[in-house]
């Protein structure tokens, strides 16, 4: 008899309570019955898992095998399929759990025992692997795969003993190839990976060590020490951003880690300084770039590659900021740590800005020696040679006494001052001839530096008023005296009126 809600309400107190409890239990039962997957659902998950597995979509396949196992946790075939997916994904601990559960349910399932032995083998757990392969061979004496795997265990164990002896004696160069052979057999062995990383560190092959330590961290369950040491190595080679990422992984496991947390506080400041400097450089805010890079040097005074990163950026931004004196110092400091073709080109530009053309050409040539296809160096050599040739003649900036970045207003002002000083009417005798030449140069400087196109040519090492300096030039002084259009005869029979 099913009691309806109106009937329950019409009952007395004790009967009403009993009826309510029965109704509640009935609803819970019905909900539970609906939550239990039927065999069709399980088969559907298994079929979808199979399809995803066929397309190598392991994560999707695993999701459906999870659902199938939850629907029927004692189905050894479903557990075996999920364990196989775990094995393909390198999730060794979960694969072993599934294969072990399969063997509890069906001890004579040889395929599961062989697969578990394979996982043990890849993990470097040779005794457990040997036990599984021996059992497989007892049940299937002619299993070639098990024979092959089993035959590799004893030599691997002996080689590991030799490696440990080599490491103890400091013979890292001979230990590394032997460890590499062991890792071909047992790629998931943390001990082998860590030992090879240690050997690489001793030989200062930090990039190789970093690669192995990344694998160690993936294979380990709690790898705070692994993340810390990986961050240290990345920082040591100047990769502050990558180091910060790894140290944050350490802090996820332990926010107050005794090594990771202090290092994180310093690393965050250094990484921010480098990142900001690079951003300012890309945005052509060179003074801000310099300030950010200099802040890095305040926080780091020992690690050479971090110092190198800061000096490299300071070299570039100082050149772009036309602070050539400081740029030469920063570039030298960076190059003393590590040679780099682009830094050589930066220093060459600083040499050009300092009118040290031979040194600039030398740096460009050295950069080409490092990268024979570096167009920047090829163009730089031509520019340095043009400017060097130009310097042997006349420098319009020097003639007017202005900087290379002077504005047009500053140039006109300097021209008026120089024209008054060297006006030939102010001189007599031999001094007058000298003044005439100076006055012509002053007028030429004004013509070139106040004309944007002529000034651009001059900055590229081409004198637009020199017929030999450019082909097809249209300088205003070509073909005779620049003052011939003022008056026939002496070019100085006129007066300037200055405000």
């Amino acid at each position: 008899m099913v009691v309806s809600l109106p009937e329950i309400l019409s009952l007395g107190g004790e009967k009403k309570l009993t009826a309510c409890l029965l109704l509640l239990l009935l609803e819970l039962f019905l909900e539970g019955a609906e939550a239990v997957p039927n065999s069709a659902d399980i088969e559907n998950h298994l079929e979808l898992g199979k399809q995803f597995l066929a397309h190598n979509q392991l994560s999707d396949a695993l999701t459906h095998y999870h659902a199938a196992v939850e629907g029927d946790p004692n189905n050894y075939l479903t557990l075996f399929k999920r364990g196989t997916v775990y094995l393909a994904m390198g999730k060794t601990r979960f694969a072993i759990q599934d294969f072990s559960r399969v063997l509890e349910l069906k001890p004579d399932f040889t395929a599961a025992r062989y697969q578990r032995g394979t996982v043990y083998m890849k993990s470097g757990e040779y005794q457990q692997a040997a036990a599984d392969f021996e059992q497989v061979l007892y049940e299937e004496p002619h299993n070639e795969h098990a024979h092959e795997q089993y035959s590799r265990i004893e030599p691997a164990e002996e080689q590991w003993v030799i490696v440990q002896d080599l490491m103890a004696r400091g013979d890292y160069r001979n230990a590394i190839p032997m460890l590499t052979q062991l890792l071909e057999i047992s790629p998931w062995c943390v001990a082998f990976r860590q030992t090879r990383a240690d050997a690489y560190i001793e030989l200062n092959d930090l990039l190789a060590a970093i690669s192995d330590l990344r694998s160690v961290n993936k294979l380990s369950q709690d790898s705070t020490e692994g993340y810390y040491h990986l961050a240290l190595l990345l920082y040591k080679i100047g990769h502050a951003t990558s180091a910060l990422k790894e140290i944050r992984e350490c802090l996820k496991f332990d926010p107050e880690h005794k090594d990771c947390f202090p290092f994180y506080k310093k690393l965050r400041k250094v990484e921010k300084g480098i990142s900001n400097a690079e951003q300012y450089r890309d945005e052509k805010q060179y003074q801000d770039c310099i300030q950010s890079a200099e802040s890095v040097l305040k926080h780091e005074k020992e690690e050479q590659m971090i110092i190198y990163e800061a000096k490299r950026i300071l070299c570039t931004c100082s050149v772009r900021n036309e602070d050539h004196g400081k740029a030469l110092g920063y570039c030298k400091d960076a190059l003393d740590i590590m040679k780099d073709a682009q830094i050589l080109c930066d220093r060459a530009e600083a040499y050009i800005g300092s009118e040290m053309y031979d040194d600039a050409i030398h740096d460009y040539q050295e950069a080409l020696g490092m990268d024979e296809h570096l167009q920047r160096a090829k163009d730089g050599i031509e520019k340095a040679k043009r400017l060097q040739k130009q310097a042997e003649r006349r420098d319009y900036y020097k003639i007017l006494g202005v900087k290379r970045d002077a504005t047009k207003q500053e140039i006109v002002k300097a021209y008026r001052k120089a024209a008054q000083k060297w006006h030939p009417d102010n001189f007599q005798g031999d001094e007058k001839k000298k003044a005439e030449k100076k006055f012509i140069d002053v007028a030429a400087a004004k013509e070139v530096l106040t004309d944007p196109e002529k000034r651009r040519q001059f900055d590229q090492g081409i004198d637009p008023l020199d017929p030999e300096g450019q082909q097809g030039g249209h300088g205003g002084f070509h073909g005779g005296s620049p003052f011939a259009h003022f008056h026939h005869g002496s070019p100085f029979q006129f007066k300037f009126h200055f405000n």
Side-chain angles (χ1 to χ4, degrees):
M1 179 182 71
V2 179
V3 183
S4 66
L5 183 59
E7 290 174 326
I8 290 173
L9 294 174
S10 66
L11 294 173
E14 186 175 344
K15 290 183 177 180
K16 185 188 293 185
L17 178 60
T18 303
C20 283
L21 288 173
L22 287 171
L23 184 60
L24 180 60
L25 288 171
L26 180 62
E27 289 178 354
L28 290 172
F29 174 77
L30 291 172
E31 287 179 3
E34 291 173 1
V36 175
N38 57 42
S39 59
D41 289 334
I42 293 172
E43 288 300 321
N44 184 49
H45 283 303
L46 289 172
E47 181 59 30
L48 288 171
K50 181 180 177 181
Q51 291 177 15
F52 281 121
L53 194 58
H55 291 88
N56 203 34
Q57 295 174 258
L58 300 181
S59 295
D60 293 321
L62 186 60
T63 299
H64 287 285
Y65 284 130
H66 274 321
V69 169
E70 288 174 2
D72 187 0
N74 293 321
N75 187 317
Y76 70 91
L77 286 174
T78 305
L79 282 163
F80 178 75
K81 291 173 182 177
R82 188 176 71 172
T84 303
V85 176
Y86 277 135
L87 176 58
M89 296 176 73
K91 296 180 180 291
T92 57
R93 184 166 63 92
F94 296 110
I96 287 174
Q97 286 177 355
D98 274 358
F99 293 141
S100 297
R101 177 60 180 155
V102 169
L103 292 170
E104 288 176 10
L105 295 168
K106 189 172 177 56
D108 62 344
F109 192 2
T110 307
R113 194 173 298 280
Y114 174 80
Q115 292 289 24
R116 189 175 71 173
T118 300
V119 178
Y120 282 136
M121 187 78 169
K122 288 179 177 291
S123 302
E125 299 179 52
Y126 295 137
Q127 291 184 2
Q128 293 93 324
D132 274 345
F133 291 138
E134 285 171 359
Q135 184 63 33
V136 170
L137 291 171
Y138 175 77
E139 296 173 4
E140 298 180 5
H142 302 294
N143 189 316
E144 293 182 5
H145 296 295
H147 268 296
E148 181 183 356
Q149 292 281 55
Y150 186 68
S151 68
R152 302 171 78 183
I153 292 175
E154 187 175 345
E157 289 177 322
E158 292 174 354
Q159 187 155 323
W160 174 230
V161 172
I162 295 170
V163 165
Q164 290 174 300
D165 180 61
L166 290 172
M167 292 293 292
R169 292 191 282 111
D171 190 354
Y172 308 113
R173 292 194 182 279
N174 284 318
I176 287 173
M178 296 189 77
L179 282 162
T180 301
Q181 290 175 352
L182 286 172
L183 283 166
E184 291 174 0
I185 300 170
S186 306
W188 301 334
C189 180
V190 173
F192 296 168
R193 290 275 177 194
Q194 182 64 59
T195 303
R196 192 171 69 169
D198 294 340
Y200 280 132
I201 291 171
E202 293 293 339
L203 296 176
N204 204 35
D205 189 348
L206 300 187
L207 287 175
I210 286 168
S211 177
D212 272 343
L213 284 178
R214 287 192 191 280
S215 297
V216 168
N217 289 345
K218 289 179 181 178
L219 294 166
S220 302
Q221 296 305 310
D222 179 4
S223 50
T224 52
E225 293 302 316
Y227 283 118
Y228 173 64
H229 290 300
L230 182 55
L232 284 178
L233 287 182
L234 288 165
Y235 188 73
K236 193 175 184 67
I237 64 173
H239 295 188
T241 300
S242 297
L244 184 60
K245 179 181 177 182
E246 299 299 335
I247 211 70
R248 282 175 172 154
E249 291 297 319
C250 172
L251 293 175
K252 286 180 182 178
F253 286 102
D254 182 0
E256 302 296 328
H257 192 278
K258 61 183 179 65
D259 296 317
C260 293
F261 185 64
F263 185 41
Y264 167 73
K265 291 194 293 185
K266 171 185 175 180
L267 181 53
R268 184 176 57 180
K269 295 175 184 176
V270 170
E271 196 276 337
K272 182 179 180 181
I274 292 174
S275 296
N276 286 347
E278 290 176 335
Q279 182 177 345
Y280 285 133
R281 178 198 60 200
D282 296 342
E283 295 173 352
K284 299 182 180 180
Q285 299 180 43
Y286 299 122
Q287 192 57 47
D288 291 330
C289 168
I290 291 167
Q291 291 176 358
S292 293
E294 286 176 340
S295 73
V296 174
L297 299 175
K298 294 177 183 177
H299 297 297
E300 183 53 70
K301 301 184 183 299
E302 295 180 3
E303 288 296 348
Q304 288 298 294
M305 292 309 298
I306 293 295
I307 294 171
Y308 167 80
E309 288 297 316
K311 296 280 188 177
R312 173 181 64 83
I313 297 170
L314 284 166
C315 165
T316 300
C317 289
S318 296
V319 171
R320 303 291 183 271
N321 205 41
E322 298 191 358
D323 193 346
H324 300 121
K326 285 187 176 180
L328 289 172
Y330 289 135
C331 296
K332 179 183 181 301
D333 291 343
L335 290 167
D336 285 345
I337 297 172
M338 186 172 72
K339 292 289 185 182
D340 179 86
Q342 293 295 340
I343 298 177
L344 283 166
C345 289
D346 280 338
R347 187 170 71 172
E349 288 186 22
Y351 277 135
I352 287 176
S354 303
E355 300 179 12
M356 301 167 69
Y357 303 113
D358 285 333
D359 292 315
I361 292 169
H362 178 272
D363 271 1
Y364 281 130
Q365 288 173 338
E366 188 174 350
L368 277 177
M370 298 179 71
D371 181 359
E372 62 180 343
H373 302 295
L374 187 58
Q375 193 60 42
R376 181 185 179 190
K378 294 178 182 179
D379 294 340
I381 289 173
E382 294 303 315
K383 178 181 177 179
K385 287 180 177 179
R386 287 197 304 268
L387 290 170
Q388 187 176 44
K389 184 177 180 181
Q390 182 186 93
E392 294 170 358
R393 297 191 294 272
R394 55 185 177 182
D395 186 332
Y396 296 127
Y397 291 105
K398 279 188 176 181
I399 290 170
L400 295 184
V402 296
K403 294 181 179 180
R404 298 187 77 86
D405 61 348
T407 64
K408 183 175 181 179
Q409 185 178 5
E410 291 170 336
I411 290 168
V412 171
K413 182 178 179 181
Y415 159 73
R416 288 173 176 168
K417 182 178 178 181
Q420 287 179 323
K421 176 180 177 181
W422 294 108
H423 195 288
D425 287 354
N426 298 330
F427 298 88
Q428 300 293 328
D430 292 337
E431 290 295 317
K432 189 179 184 73
K433 292 182 179 180
K434 178 182 177 182
E436 289 175 0
K437 183 179 182 306
K438 289 283 189 183
F439 194 78
I440 291 171
D441 288 342
V442 167
K446 187 244 182 183
E447 177 181 348
V448 170
L449 299 184
T450 56
D451 184 302
E453 177 57 25
K454 291 177 181 177
R455 184 175 180 178
R456 185 192 66 77
Q457 293 180 31
F458 184 75
D459 287 341
Q460 292 296 316
I462 301 170
D463 188 343
L465 304 185
D466 181 2
E468 297 179 359
Q470 65 167 7
Q471 294 180 352
H474 299 286
F477 295 168
H478 294 170
S481 168
F483 300 106
H485 62 285
F486 286 125
H487 195 282
H488 293 290
S490 172
F492 302 113
Q493 296 177 5
F494 57 86
K495 296 288 185 180
F496 279 111
H497 298 283
F498 298 101
N499 294 329

